[in-house]
Amino acid sequence: MIRRAEKAKRRSRDSADSLEGAEAMDDRAIKELQGRVRGEVIGTDDARYDDARRVYNAMIDKRPAAVVRATGVADVIASVKAARATGIPIAVRGGSHSVPGFGTAEGALVVDLGRMRGIRVDPASRTVRAEGGCTWGDFNHATHAFGLATTGGIISTTGIAGLTLGGGIGYLTRGHGLSLDNVRSADVVLADGSFVTANEEENADLFWALRGGGGNFGVVTNFEYRLHPVRDIVGGVMFFEVEDAPQVLRAYDRYIADAPRELGAFFAWQIAPPLPFIPEDRHGDTFCAMVVCWTGPPEQAQEAFAPLRPAPVVAQWIDRMPYPALNGAFDGLVPPGLQHYWKAAFAGPLTDGAIEAHLAHGPKIPVVNSTMHIYPINGAVHDVAADATAFGHRNAKYATVIAGMWPDPAQNEANIRWVRDYYAALAPHSEKGGYINFMAGDDADKAAANYGRHYDRLRTVKAKYDPENVFRFNQNVAPAA
Ligand SMILES: Cc1cc2nc3c(=O)[nH]c(=O)nc-3n(C[C@H](O)[C@H](O)[C@H](O)COP(=O)(O)OP(=O)(O)OC[C@H]3O[C@@H](n4cnc5c(N)ncnc54)[C@H](O)[C@@H]3O)c2cc1C
């Protein structure tokens, strides 16, 4: 076993054309790499190290060998080659939002794309090229200027790269599919430092795997997406009493599969933050909520929302606004530096049993930052053939996420317990796998179920493009033997 690992390490050194003989990311290796890149190479002795190693989830406290703040494709190529030459592992970081903290690793070279945020919109072809370090805030800002958008996440600080490669669920999913359904092409630095483009014509097997296989296949330096006309939307949130949750859930389940595709909506549990639209004496109370986004004619919005209001609304904030405004509206609930522990499952219809499980655990939500969302998987997602991309649960009806997020590490145990208990209660009413982008770090053993029907095909593509599993800090796909 050890001999095999040694051989693989030697092979990887031989294939890399630089930094031969270096044993680890020591001062010399860091200096050499700094000579080859335009960005900063930050080693453990650097005053910037603690800032550079920090990721969004404050529970993650890893000490990588060095962090490269890449400024372009050349830096990424040089970094991958340097890591291969020294034999140290590589962690790739886009927007840094991975809950298990996959954007860093103990002793690894972190390739941080956070400086690579260039975007070019082509309004004539309704496409956009965006670098791998962009956030959805960057992306929506750039495309909104042209009255265009594509499916992204619901929080503006999340990275486009990690989110897209795993799936991409958001307000526009029902109308325009998952984020990955809108990818036309991707530029990728592979495990040997070579550069390829993947699309339907070139490296089609890689293109298939990138769309659902997460960060397993290489570093995506640039994505090309399809865009759609979306300018102003009508959206926001309505709060209902906890005891009305069964009615709200049943109404949602009845309506959402065939509702107009201009409607994005998801169910949530939420402790009321101290916001002006919520009566002051209800601040801090727990509610169930519907979050909505209507991209159709504004005058039709209320009609579209009506079936989602089967019970009295206690408080609501719904307004006409630019799409990027809704994308940033809830950012304040999830600032950087919270502790995160999440679990997720795909599910079918909201049966009585599932609703009972939600009612038993949802109202116990411990803090204002935490939540549980039930996202619809339907509409345009179901227009795409199940085998067209590597996304393994296209036929699911819902993606459920129990997102534990809290500020005080002293509360870790109680918050983690809430997530685990809720998840266990939903398990009998869920599919085996969950959305890879919502899973916790202790879910590594569920990778096959999470990738679902495509896991074996993913393993074959992994064996072709990354046989030594260089890109392994992710929901890992084991290369086929
Ligand atoms: C507050 C919050 C809100 C969220 N909202 C949504 C949502 O609305 N919809 C949704 O679908 N998901 C959502 N997510 C989940 C999100 O999709 C994942 O956390 C995703 O991994 C974030 O991507 P990132 O680039 O920010 O993460 P990072 O931590 O930078 O990276 C995560 C993973 O992606 C890989 N990766 C990152 N960049 C690249 C790249 N350029 N090339 C190759 N691999 C790369 C890394 O290897 C790593 O495995 C949310 C997460 C958080 C914390």
Side-chain angles (χ1 to χ4, degrees):
M1 190 73 185
I2 292 172
R3 221 178 294 138
R4 240 172 60 198
E6 271 308 309
K7 251 167 103 180
K9 203 164 141 185
R10 242 192 339 264
R11 250 200 331 269
S12 73
R13 272 188 206 148
D14 293 343
S15 68
D17 64 5
S18 60
L19 299 167
E20 264 147 57
E23 286 304 325
M25 216 68 211
D26 56 16
D27 280 355
R28 186 176 72 85
I30 286 174
K31 276 206 188 91
E32 282 196 33
L33 180 55
Q34 184 64 81
R36 290 163 197 264
V37 301
R38 285 278 173 102
E40 299 153 358
V41 182
I42 300 167
T44 51
D45 295 335
D46 196 302
R48 297 163 297 181
Y49 179 72
D50 277 334
D51 181 46
R53 75 188 178 91
R54 190 174 306 124
V55 291
Y56 182 76
N57 180 356
M59 284 176 93
I60 309 294
D61 183 21
K62 300 271 167 66
R63 296 187 65 81
V67 177
V68 183
R69 288 175 168 160
T71 60
V73 181
D75 286 6
V76 175
I77 291 172
S79 303
V80 170
K81 286 185 173 177
R84 298 304 307 277
T86 56
I88 67 168
I90 300 172
V92 182
R93 192 185 301 167
S96 186
H97 267 209
S98 161
V99 167
F102 289 139
T104 187
E106 206 64 40
L109 180 65
V110 172
V111 182
D112 181 350
L113 276 71
R115 298 269 162 92
M116 292 173 56
R117 294 163 89 148
I119 303 180
R120 183 178 186 278
V121 180
D122 180 353
S125 64
R126 287 189 182 159
T127 59
V128 59
R129 284 195 159 276
E131 283 189 296
C134 291
T135 63
W136 286 104
D138 301 331
F139 186 100
N140 294 330
H141 174 71
T143 62
H144 184 72
F146 300 92
L148 299 168
T150 205
T151 307
I154 63 156
I155 298 292
S156 81
T157 51
T158 308
I160 65 165
L163 183 140
T164 300
L165 295 169
I169 299 170
Y171 294 116
L172 307 183
T173 312
R174 299 191 63 253
H176 304 297
L178 301 164
S179 302
L180 59 75
D181 292 331
N182 290 285
V183 175
R184 283 165 49 102
S185 185
D187 291 344
V188 191
V189 175
L190 298 176
D192 61 359
S194 63
F195 174 86
V196 296
T197 293
N199 52 41
E200 293 291 358
E201 283 82 42
E202 297 169 80
N203 303 300
D205 52 353
L206 177 62
F207 185 53
W208 175 86
L210 286 173
R211 290 172 297 157
N216 271 285
F217 301 93
V219 186
V220 178
T221 52
N222 204 293
F223 293 88
E224 183 182 359
Y225 295 86
R226 246 171 252 115
L227 295 171
H228 312 275
V230 176
R231 194 179 289 275
D232 280 5
I233 57 94
V234 180
V237 59
M238 354 184 204
F239 285 122
F240 304 89
E241 300 289 4
V242 164
E243 49 273 24
D244 290 331
Q247 270 168 278
V248 176
L249 279 164
R250 284 194 186 101
Y252 174 55
D253 194 40
R254 267 195 309 271
Y255 178 54
I256 201 63
D258 299 315
R261 288 186 177 194
E262 295 93 332
L263 178 68
F266 62 88
F267 176 91
W269 294 108
Q270 184 64 53
I271 293 178
L275 293 171
F277 75 92
I278 302 166
E280 221 175 300
D281 62 335
R282 303 302 306 269
H283 291 175
D285 287 357
T286 300
F287 293 95
C288 69
M290 287 301 315
V291 182
V292 291
C293 172
W294 172 254
T295 58
E299 63 280 6
Q300 293 172 13
Q302 293 311 323
E303 192 188 331
F305 299 154
L308 297 173
R309 289 191 185 108
V313 173
V314 181
Q316 75 170 19
W317 166 74
I318 290 184
D319 214 340
R320 182 173 171 165
M321 66 190 90
Y323 172 68
L326 184 62
N327 177 235
F330 303 113
D331 289 4
L333 285 171
V334 287
L338 298 178
Q339 331 293 308
H340 288 252
Y341 183 81
W342 297 21
K343 288 223 178 264
F346 288 104
L350 292 167
T351 58
D352 289 348
I355 290 175
E356 220 170 277
H358 281 295
L359 274 170
H361 294 273
K364 294 184 194 156
I365 186 170
V367 288
V368 68
N369 312 91
S370 288
T371 190
M372 189 289 309
H373 293 171
I374 307 175
Y375 294 101
I377 303 290
N378 61 39
V381 183
H382 287 176
D383 292 346
V384 178
D387 292 341
T389 73
F391 186 75
H393 292 265
R394 201 172 277 281
N395 296 330
K397 195 163 184 203
Y398 296 108
T400 307
V401 60
I402 308 151
M405 307 182 267
W406 62 99
D408 183 358
Q411 297 169 350
N412 285 3
E413 205 191 315
N415 283 275
I416 290 172
R417 196 177 332 112
W418 175 69
V419 175
R420 286 188 175 150
D421 289 351
Y422 200 157
Y423 176 71
L426 287 181
H429 313 285
S430 304
E431 292 184 9
K432 271 218 173 69
Y435 175 34
I436 62 159
N437 279 350
F438 287 160
M439 304 303 288
D442 55 9
D443 285 321
D445 59 331
K446 298 194 183 77
N450 295 339
Y451 285 110
R453 58 190 281 157
H454 300 312
Y455 187 60
D456 288 342
R457 189 169 161 194
L458 279 167
R459 290 192 62 197
T460 304
V461 183
K462 176 84 172 174
K464 178 173 169 189
Y465 288 95
D466 184 17
E468 288 161 26
N469 205 4
V470 168
F471 298 110
R472 58 179 173 273
F473 300 113
N474 41 48
Q475 292 281 330
N476 198 229
V477 172

